[in-house]
Amino acid sequence: VQLQASGGGLVQIGGSLRLSCVTSSRPLRDAAMGWFRQAPDKERETVAHIGWYSPATYYTDSVKGRFAISKDTAKNTVYLQMNNLKPEDTGVYYCARADVRDGTIRWSAAAIDYWGQGTLVTVSS
């Protein structure tokens, strides 16, 4: 399984970007897909994730109301719409997928099954 991320770039404060992540193979069982980000000298953190076969979503507090995660399962793609971007949103964004194991989807950097390449998001003042 490969994940292909795209959509990063340079944007001014208050601007918007949309990230996309395509999975080469759709999950056969339940899974979640989403995004982590890592700023310089900081740990990788969850941004948002969405269930592949369920509508469940999760957002870290700092992006609630500004970011929206969505999916198009026919296209094997997950999107992250990022609005009202702030300098603290700057970082490398990594697409990720966690497949169900023993009936549970565990979403953490240590439990991720597949990673995409990072895409850099830079928010400038």
Side-chain angles (χ1 to χ4, degrees):
V1 176
Q2 294 183 331
L3 304 182
Q4 182 68 44
S6 61
L10 174 65
V11 64
Q12 291 186 331
I13 292 174
S16 298
L17 286 173
R18 189 176 80 156
L19 305 184
S20 299
C21 177
V22 181
T23 177
S24 62
S25 176
R26 66 181 59 188
L28 297 178
R29 295 180 293 174
D30 205 0
M33 282 187 63
W35 301 87
F36 288 79
R37 68 185 177 191
Q38 189 165 20
D41 300 322
K42 291 190 176 181
E43 292 187 357
R44 194 170 295 192
E45 64 171 352
T46 292
V47 177
H49 56 78
I50 187 168
W52 188 260
Y53 292 110
S54 81
T57 59
Y58 169 87
Y59 297 92
T60 195
D61 286 346
S62 62
V63 308
K64 287 179 181 177
R66 301 188 297 120
F67 291 12
I69 192 167
S70 61
K71 62 190 176 185
D72 185 337
T73 54
K75 296 182 178 180
N76 286 1
T77 303
V78 171
Y79 304 97
L80 185 68
Q81 179 66 43
M82 305 186 294
N83 299 324
N84 191 21
L85 282 160
K86 303 176 180 180
E88 52 264 42
D89 295 317
T90 294
V92 179
Y93 283 66
Y94 295 92
C95 177
R97 180 177 132 180
D99 289 354
V100 65
R101 296 180 186 278
D102 299 324
T104 301
I105 298 173
R106 296 175 177 80
W107 188 271
S108 70
I112 291 298
D113 294 289
Y114 308 103
W115 291 97
Q117 88 286 6
T119 184
L120 179 62
V121 172
T122 304
V123 184
S124 67
S125 56

